[in-house]
Amino acid sequence: MSAPAATSTQPLVRIEAVHKHFGELQVLRGVDLEVAQGEVVCLLGPSGSGKSTLLRCINHIEAISAGRIQVGDEVIGYRQRGDRLHELSPRAIAVQRRTIGMVFQRFNLFPHRTVVQNVADGPILVRREPRAAAEQRATELLDRVGLAEKRDAYPRQLSGGQQQRVAIARALAMEPKLMLFDEPTSALDPELVGEVLDVMKDLARTGLTMIVVTHEIGFAREMADRVAFLDGGSIVELGPPGEVLVNPRQARTRAFLSRVL
Amino acid sequence: MTAAPEAGRQLVVVPRRHVGRWVAAAVLLLLLAWLGGAFANADIDWPTVRHYLGAGPLLRGLLITIALTLVAMLVGIVLGTAVGVMRLSRNPVTAAVAWGYVWVFRGTPVYLQLLVWFNLALIFPYLTIPGITTARTVDLITPFAAASLGLGINQGAYTSEVVRGGIQSVDEGQTEAAHAIGMTNWMTLRKVVLPQAMRVILPPIGNEFIGMVKTTSLASAIGVTEILNEAQSIYIVNNRIMELLIVCGIWYLAAVSVLSIAQFYLERHFARGSSSRALPPTPLQRLRGLFAKVGTGAAR
């Protein structure tokens, strides 16, 4: 805040030459990407292009094979000594993940906990906040995603769209500086997609930094500051949606867009 | 449409007659009557049964049976949970040790294991806590201690498999979601994975608990004076064999019934959120509802 010039030159997320392979299978082949504070970046691409894997590497749910990912001042998952990266303890990685929110394709709400408990568990268990205060704030967050009246329901009693909105509230409860969305609307019935996208648009307008893996080209066009098109484990094309989605330079991007539009 | 006879007339549905059910019920009732008659005419002195139901030695034996069951299951569940988690460890040595434990203790008779624990002094004559104390094994390993160890460690081998299955039944996305909000591995296991695994773990554990009530009778082989052992020492003297066995049976049934009720409520507790419908009412709630209905009916 004190040095706005510095924050604008220092990106929040810095992905450098990231490789990832599962055994023989090469999923990411040298990805570079910088995301500025407050920016919304959408990752597009055919299935198997590595976009979800890249997202999962950012909070070390998936460990990278080579390269470096930095969020804020911290290298995620590793301690850098000279030119070597030493993997951190699980506990230290857990601390790093507290300020990186994640929303999953299949919601992954805790089915044995009520809606309000799902949202308040993180603050209570991880940040050791007093229960009353955490549940109070959880209720406020639920109100923000339009589900205050469902606070005492169990996840299985909600529609997919409602569950995903609770999942977003759960991630927000940890006051993240970065939000990762892994195909947040892909498991939803078509008529429920809109309510989730609306919540995400609200978040984007508050200036939250967001990286979104999605097939919703409309959302990318409307909300993204930049769009990255991945294919074969690397970023093929990167730029404002007005360029990448309207006048793609790469043949592969054009082919993909002609199939999904 | 024209074929429909006399439109508007109600057609009566005649339920199918289940002759087979009547026959089966009659045969079963006959068998039960015969069995009841056999018991009534047999040389069983029912006043003796009633007398020994409250007899001191048998009640003391029952207490030991219950205590042994609780201690052995406690050992079994704690050990089983630890070993079940170890089986899933990414450390190959940890996983292999857990596998070996299950292999040995599930692969040999529990009777044999009880005898080994009872005779532990043959391998380890002295037990030492370094720097604190040393004791002779024969003094420490009483029959009750040997039985607790033997039954508990054997139970742990079975329970670990149940726990492993339960943990594996929980979707991997749950672990990812817990990690994503910054939970540590231990917290994820305790707060997210195990509570959900309980739904799968509890029914077989309940079964094993009930099994343990009865398996404790094996401990009489190494001199634990549990209920069956006490009954035997009595009928050797007075020759009222069937009477004393019936008394034991009644007490076993009573203990198992109490456990079954506890299991019902525990399973209900861990079923929270597992279905989109509300849980069915408990028998007590149903009874209360019935009284409420009768009450309002009478008031009208």
Side-chain angles (χ1 to χ4, degrees):
Chain A
M1 281 296 160
S2 54
T7 49
S8 60
T9 52
Q10 175 80 29
L12 179 65
V13 183
R14 229 148 107 188
I15 299 168
E16 295 167 2
V18 164
H19 286 74
K20 171 70 186 175
H21 53 82
F22 296 102
E24 292 288 288
L25 183 68
Q26 195 79 29
V27 183
L28 296 175
R29 307 160 189 267
V31 174
D32 295 283
L33 179 67
E34 293 191 344
V35 179
Q37 178 77 48
E39 199 179 15
V40 176
V41 173
C42 284
L43 306 180
L44 303 179
S47 60
S49 60
K51 53 193 192 306
S52 278
T53 303
L54 176 61
L55 197 77
R56 291 157 62 83
C57 285
I58 296 175
N59 64 352
H60 206 76
I61 292 277
E62 218 70 82
I64 59 177
S65 308
R68 187 172 175 277
I69 295 176
Q70 193 174 335
V71 175
D73 304 325
E74 292 185 75
V75 179
I76 297 299
Y78 301 91
R79 183 181 298 116
Q80 190 166 5
R81 286 219 196 92
D83 56 357
R84 308 204 74 159
L85 291 174
H86 301 270
E87 188 163 19
L88 291 171
S89 70
R91 190 167 289 272
I93 294 169
V95 172
Q96 290 185 329
R97 287 191 187 120
R98 290 181 191 178
T99 51
I100 304 175
M102 187 164 203
V103 174
F104 299 87
Q105 180 177 355
R106 302 218 47 90
F107 330 134
N108 295 351
L109 290 179
F110 305 135
H112 60 304
R113 306 290 283 163
T114 63
V115 164
V116 70
Q117 287 170 337
N118 263 278
V119 180
D121 270 355
I124 292 170
L125 295 173
V126 177
R127 301 209 311 200
R128 306 266 162 217
E129 284 180 27
R131 175 171 301 276
E135 291 192 346
Q136 169 67 31
R137 218 163 49 76
T139 310
E140 287 164 22
L141 283 167
L142 287 171
D143 194 34
R144 190 166 154 195
V145 298
L147 288 170
E149 79 282 9
K150 296 284 186 191
R151 70 188 294 278
D152 295 317
Y154 283 99
R156 294 236 165 89
Q157 296 163 339
L158 305 184
S159 73
Q162 291 172 329
Q163 287 190 51
Q164 194 61 298
R165 281 145 66 198
V166 174
I168 292 173
R170 174 174 69 176
L172 291 177
M174 296 299 288
E175 298 178 320
K177 56 188 176 193
L178 168 69
M179 280 282 278
L180 308 173
F181 291 87
D182 188 4
E183 305 201 25
T185 58
S186 297
L188 296 177
D189 291 338
E191 77 271 21
L192 303 178
V193 169
E195 61 189 67
V196 172
L197 291 183
D198 285 344
V199 169
M200 291 171 61
K201 287 175 192 172
D202 276 349
L203 287 181
R205 291 192 193 101
T206 64
L208 186 62
T209 312
M210 292 167 47
I211 304 179
V212 185
V213 172
T214 187
H215 293 291
E216 297 290 331
I217 305 292
F219 176 83
R221 187 181 302 139
E222 185 182 349
M223 297 311 299
D225 296 300
R226 283 185 302 155
V227 168
F229 176 74
L230 280 87
D231 195 17
S234 44
I235 293 179
V236 175
E237 197 161 353
L238 175 68
E243 287 171 22
V244 176
L245 298 178
V246 180
N247 285 314
R249 291 198 206 129
Q250 304 291 326
R252 277 189 283 178
T253 317
R254 271 197 295 273
F256 174 74
L257 288 175
S258 71
R259 266 180 281 125
V260 296
L261 284 181
Chain B
M1 276 299 143
T2 49
E6 299 145 84
R9 223 183 89 199
Q10 278 288 334
L11 295 177
V12 178
V13 176
V14 181
R16 192 182 141 75
R17 284 184 205 289
H18 295 280
V19 181
R21 290 184 195 171
W22 286 99
V23 174
V27 168
L28 286 174
L29 284 176
L30 273 174
L31 274 172
L32 280 177
W34 171 79
L35 202 64
F39 265 84
N41 295 328
D43 183 20
I44 295 174
D45 186 31
W46 294 101
T48 307
V49 171
R50 203 173 316 128
H51 167 73
Y52 278 107
L53 259 180
L58 286 182
L59 289 184
R60 249 175 282 136
L62 178 66
L63 271 184
I64 290 180
T65 294
I66 291 171
L68 188 54
T69 303
L70 293 178
V71 174
M73 281 312 287
L74 184 71
V75 172
I77 288 171
V78 169
L79 213 57
T81 307
V83 174
V85 172
M86 281 167 68
R87 271 298 289 278
L88 298 167
S89 166
R90 259 172 280 182
N91 182 336
V93 177
T94 309
V97 166
W99 180 88
Y101 163 77
V102 174
W103 182 63
V104 169
F105 288 98
R106 209 175 52 170
T108 53
V110 65
Y111 193 16
L112 181 153
Q113 291 170 33
L114 283 175
L115 293 173
V116 168
W117 285 107
F118 188 57
N119 295 299
L120 195 66
L122 298 177
I123 315 173
F124 303 104
Y126 294 95
L127 293 178
T128 306
I129 304 173
I132 298 172
T133 183
T134 297
R136 287 198 325 145
T137 303
V138 267
D139 298 335
L140 275 183
I141 303 290
T142 60
F144 188 85
S148 304
L149 281 173
L151 294 174
I153 289 170
N154 179 262
Q155 184 56 48
Y158 288 92
T159 305
S160 75
E161 288 294 281
V162 172
V163 170
R164 181 172 67 96
I167 290 175
Q168 283 176 328
S169 77
V170 178
D171 184 67
E172 213 166 318
Q174 292 292 311
T175 304
E176 288 182 0
H179 282 167
I181 56 173
M183 286 196 193
T184 57
N185 287 333
W186 172 239
M187 201 182 281
T188 301
L189 183 70
R190 224 160 30 96
K191 296 289 183 178
V192 177
V193 176
L194 278 182
Q196 292 182 61
M198 284 306 269
R199 228 164 45 80
V200 178
I201 290 174
L202 267 181
I205 295 268
N207 242 352
E208 289 175 355
F209 221 113
I210 285 167
M212 183 61 82
V213 174
K214 297 165 293 167
T215 313
T216 52
S217 58
L218 283 181
S220 67
I222 55 173
V224 177
T225 52
E226 44 73 61
I227 186 166
L228 201 56
N229 189 322
E230 292 282 8
Q232 282 172 318
S233 351
I234 296 172
Y235 72 57
I236 281 174
V237 177
N238 69 5
N239 215 23
R240 291 288 182 190
I241 299 175
M242 204 41 87
E243 287 82 354
L244 278 150
L245 290 181
I246 287 173
V247 170
C248 287
I250 290 172
W251 278 120
Y252 278 121
L253 274 174
V256 168
S257 305
V258 170
L259 281 178
S260 306
I261 293 168
Q263 182 182 10
F264 172 83
Y265 281 97
L266 262 178
E267 282 181 19
R268 207 178 135 83
H269 174 77
F270 282 101
R272 281 168 311 169
S274 64
S275 121
S276 54
R277 282 160 296 149
L279 290 170
T282 65
L284 260 183
Q285 287 170 338
R286 237 176 267 167
L287 207 64
R288 238 179 276 138
L290 198 70
F291 276 123
K293 216 181 286 171
V294 170
T296 54
R300 265 179 211 150

